[in-house]
């Protein structure tokens, strides 16, 4: 029967766990909270993603990698990847596992909470201290900032806090 | 988006198209001028910050061109790179060179000018984006919400530089005063919709020119007050209005440089 050849969104989500951020290869697009929707019709798959930062050059690579990864599934015929802006991606979309995987890479996860006045707290990627200052909000890539820990005196990177409150 | 297209009147579509070109061309030229500072900013941290801001801004321009593409106006990359100066809708302020000399030769760029232009423009962009978050055209409103979050850091960055240089040495203050004058000479078309004023304003795509101008004044007033300075007045009669395709030789040369790179490899991803 044809039905047995159809693809379920669940299978696609599993595959997307393996699509990594090209700039931080310990974290997947699922961990980052970039995947908003997976729909399947027969053997065709559509993946809807949220761009993290609009000018991020990694987005095109992510799109390509997503298509290639989903195509690996034998039942899949056509893969479409679309970027949408609604809902807007915010740093609180990064999952609990995403936080763990960021720390593995030596990057401090974004703050859990951003106050109404835009202020926030980040823990040092090395010692966990919150006695830190922002050195340069603009880090090596659009999504990262550079901070300094006054406790262990290390410079470290953190995911830039992004919120609609800003 | 398709459903929007079918119910969209010709007039409404013209208004959106015109506004999107203004927004897209502003960010495109702003990002280009910013990128010319690569390796020339006052210190390495600033180099990183400046290029990040330019990259974000180029991303914003790309989004606005993409919205034009979705409306069937043309291919986004072509719209960005292949339109002549006469068709450009950016404010004249965005096209001005960073100073004397060429990037590839001996640039004598003016950092005070870059700080003032960036701060005043970013503040103006924030005022526009806040209004666009409520736009009657929902794809534009969604984009604005996203741009707004990134803009938050740009604005903080330039405001910090602005305050610091104006509270620094006499030389710095003199250079900043000159830069403010120079920027304000070109600021008259920043909040102008040009000949499309009526069309754009009645489409409820964005607030009126006057309302945005007032909000800009009110938003930077506290910064000026703290520096014991007066907010410079925005002229309502710009000598050149970029929204109507009036531009300088600076734009012609910038587009030439930009399109050289593009024609070299038109399918490269930007
Ligand atoms: Zn530490």
């Amino acid at each position: 029967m044809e039905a047995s050849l159809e693809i379920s969104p669940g299978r696609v989500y599993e595959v997307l766990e393996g699509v990594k951020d090209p700039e931080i290869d310990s974290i997947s697009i699922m961990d980052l909270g970039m995947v908003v929707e997976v729909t399947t019709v027969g053997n065709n798959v559509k993946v809807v993603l949220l761009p993290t930062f609009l000018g991020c050059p990694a987005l095109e690579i992510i799109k390509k990698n997503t298509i290639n990864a989903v195509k690996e599934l034998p039942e899949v015929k056509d893969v479409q990847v679309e970027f949408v802006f609604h809902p807007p991606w915010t740093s609180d979309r990064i999952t609990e596992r995403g936080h763990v995987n960021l720390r593995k890479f030596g990057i401090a996860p974004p703050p859990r909470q951003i106050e109404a006045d835009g202020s926030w707290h980040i823990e040092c990627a090395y010692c966990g201290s919150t006695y830190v200052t922002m050195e340069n909000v603009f880090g090596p890539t659009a999504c990262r900032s550079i901070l300094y820990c006054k406790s262990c005196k290390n410079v470290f990177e953190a995911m830039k806090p992004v919120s609609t409150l800003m | 988006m398709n459903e929007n297209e079918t119910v969209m009147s010709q007039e409404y579509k013209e208004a959106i198209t015109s506004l999107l070109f203004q927004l897209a061309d502003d960010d495109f030229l702003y990002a280009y001028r910013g990128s010319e500072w690569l390796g020339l900013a006052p210190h390495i941290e600033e180099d990183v910050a400046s290029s990040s801001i330019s990259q974000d801004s180029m991303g914003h321009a790309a989004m606005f061109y993409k919205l034009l593409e979705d409306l069937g106006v043309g291919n986004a990359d072509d719209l960005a790179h292949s339109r002549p100066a006469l068709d450009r809708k950016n404010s004249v302020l965005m096209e001005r060179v960073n100073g004397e000399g060429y990037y590839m030769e001996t640039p004598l760029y003016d950092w005070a000018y870059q700080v003032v232009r960036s701060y005043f423009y970013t503040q103006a962009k924030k005022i526009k984006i806040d209004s666009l978050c409520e736009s009657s055209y929902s794809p534009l409103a969604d984009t604005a919400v996203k741009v707004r979050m990134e803009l938050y850091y740009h604005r903080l960055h330039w405001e910090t530089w602005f305050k610091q240089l104006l509270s620094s040495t006499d030389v710095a203050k003199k250079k900043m005063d000159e830069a403010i004058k120079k920027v304000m000479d070109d600021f008259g078309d920043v909040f102008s919709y040009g000949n499309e004023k009526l069309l754009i304003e009645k489409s409820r795509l964005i607030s009126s020119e006057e309302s945005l101008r007032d909000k800009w004044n009110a938003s930077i007033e506290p910064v000026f007050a703290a520096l014991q300075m007066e907010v410079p007045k925005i002229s309502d009669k710009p000598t050149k209005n970029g929204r109507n395709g009036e531009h300088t030789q600076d734009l012609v040369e910038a587009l030439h440089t930009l399109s050289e790179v593009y024609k070299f490899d038109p399918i490269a991803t930007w």
Side-chain angles (χ1 to χ4, degrees):
Chain A
M1 280 300 285
E2 255 206 313
S4 64
L5 291 170
E6 280 184 11
I7 179 91
S8 75
R11 292 284 314 275
V12 179
Y13 278 114
E14 275 168 36
V15 168
L16 295 179
E17 298 278 1
V19 179
K20 304 293 180 188
D21 179 331
E23 291 167 338
I24 311 168
D25 61 15
S26 65
I27 191 164
S28 77
I29 59 173
M30 290 291 290
D31 295 340
L32 280 167
M34 288 178 72
V35 182
V36 262
E37 201 183 15
V38 172
T39 45
T40 58
V41 180
N43 305 93
N44 300 331
V45 179
K46 187 174 161 191
V47 180
V48 181
L49 300 178
L50 302 178
T52 47
F53 283 79
L54 294 175
C56 177
L59 293 177
E60 275 306 309
I61 306 173
I62 288 174
K63 185 175 174 178
K64 223 180 291 166
N65 292 350
T66 302
I67 294 174
N68 292 341
V70 178
K71 274 199 173 149
E72 290 282 306
L73 288 169
E75 314 91 295
V76 170
K77 223 170 86 192
D78 186 50
V79 185
Q80 243 187 305
V81 173
E82 193 190 331
F83 283 104
V84 299
F85 305 108
H86 192 80
W89 184 86
T90 47
S91 50
D92 59 6
R93 292 187 64 93
I94 301 176
T95 63
E96 197 53 50
R97 226 188 49 187
H99 280 223
V100 173
N101 289 339
L102 277 172
R103 279 194 206 96
K104 267 188 215 158
F105 197 80
I107 295 178
R112 282 257 169 265
Q113 211 186 330
I114 294 170
E115 311 299 332
D117 64 356
S119 67
W120 39 261
H121 301 281
I122 289 179
E123 292 169 13
C124 171
Y126 298 103
C127 71
S129 164
T130 51
Y131 189 38
V132 302
T133 55
M134 184 68 89
E135 280 280 294
N136 194 342
V137 72
F138 301 99
T141 68
C143 59
R144 282 137 86 178
S145 299
I146 299 164
L147 288 88
Y148 177 73
C149 175
K150 290 184 173 176
S151 297
C152 72
K153 309 217 173 351
N154 272 309
V155 173
F156 67 96
E157 285 182 30
M159 286 299 275
K160 194 190 276 179
V162 176
S163 148
T164 47
L165 294 173
M166 289 173 162
Chain B
M1 217 154 292
N2 290 334
E3 71 209 64
N4 269 322
E5 254 171 282
T6 49
V7 297
M8 198 184 284
S9 75
Q10 190 56 33
E11 200 177 65
Y12 187 63
K13 190 178 164 182
E14 262 172 49
I16 300 169
T17 304
S18 178
L19 178 64
L20 283 173
F21 270 124
Q22 297 182 10
L23 298 166
D25 290 346
D26 268 357
D27 271 336
F28 184 66
L29 267 301
Y30 173 68
Y32 171 67
R33 288 302 179 203
S35 73
E36 286 191 309
W37 276 98
L38 188 65
L40 302 172
H43 47 72
I44 181 80
E45 286 81 12
E46 183 51 37
D47 226 33
V48 174
S50 274
S51 19
S52 192
I53 290 173
S54 298
Q55 193 185 69
D56 288 349
S57 305
M58 197 51 99
H60 302 168
M63 288 326 307
F64 296 130
Y65 288 125
K66 179 68 176 44
L67 289 176
L68 283 162
E69 181 178 306
D70 293 343
L71 285 166
V73 179
N75 167 276
D77 283 338
D78 287 342
L79 295 176
H81 293 94
S82 305
R83 288 157 48 241
L86 208 66
D87 291 350
R88 296 279 166 168
K89 302 276 185 247
N90 59 281
S91 156
V92 171
L93 179 64
M94 300 310 128
E95 70 201 42
R96 294 286 189 197
V97 292
N98 287 307
E100 284 170 37
Y102 290 99
Y103 183 74
M104 300 299 281
E105 291 160 20
T106 320
L108 295 166
Y109 291 170
D110 181 352
W111 183 246
Y113 182 68
Q114 175 64 357
V115 168
V116 176
R117 164 160 65 181
S118 297
Y119 176 48
F120 286 11
Y121 171 63
T122 306
Q123 190 67 43
K125 185 171 160 185
K126 180 198 158 23
I127 301 293
K128 287 189 191 186
I129 289 290
D130 282 350
S131 172
L132 289 169
C133 288
E134 315 282 315
S135 181
S136 62
Y137 187 52
S138 62
L140 179 53
D142 289 349
T143 304
V145 171
K146 190 76 191 116
V147 169
R148 193 172 182 272
M149 291 187 276
E150 299 182 14
L151 204 56
Y152 173 81
Y153 290 112
H154 301 185
R155 209 193 58 76
L156 274 185
H157 182 79
W158 294 119
E159 188 177 284
T160 306
W161 266 107
F162 185 79
K163 286 185 195 161
Q164 278 177 355
L165 289 181
L166 276 164
S167 335
S168 150
T169 62
D170 286 346
V171 179
K173 192 166 174 351
K174 184 168 170 287
K175 284 193 170 177
M176 287 294 283
D177 286 335
E178 285 164 9
I180 291 173
K181 203 191 157 297
K182 213 165 143 191
V183 167
M184 290 316 290
D185 283 347
D186 286 331
F187 215 75
D189 65 355
V190 170
F191 289 117
S192 165
Y193 303 129
N195 297 335
E196 314 297 338
K197 177 177 162 65
L198 286 177
L199 194 62
I200 289 175
E201 288 182 350
K202 78 171 184 194
S203 303
R204 292 186 305 110
L205 291 165
I206 186 168
S207 303
S208 71
E209 293 177 355
E210 295 77 14
S211 146
L212 296 181
R213 216 177 288 157
D214 290 346
K215 285 198 177 116
W216 183 83
N217 275 318
S219 69
I220 59 169
E221 207 278 325
V223 172
F224 277 80
L227 293 161
Q228 289 170 317
M229 291 166 65
E230 294 225 353
V231 178
K233 210 183 150 339
I234 303 176
S235 154
D236 47 12
K237 286 184 207 65
T239 38
K240 276 186 193 293
N241 191 328
R243 311 302 183 196
N244 293 335
E246 299 164 16
H247 295 288
T248 65
Q249 190 59 24
D250 288 0
L251 179 63
V252 176
E253 281 165 26
L255 293 176
H256 182 74
T257 309
L258 274 158
S259 68
E260 253 178 11
V261 183
Y262 182 61
K263 280 176 196 147
F264 182 70
D265 185 7
I267 51 166
T269 309
W270 292 92

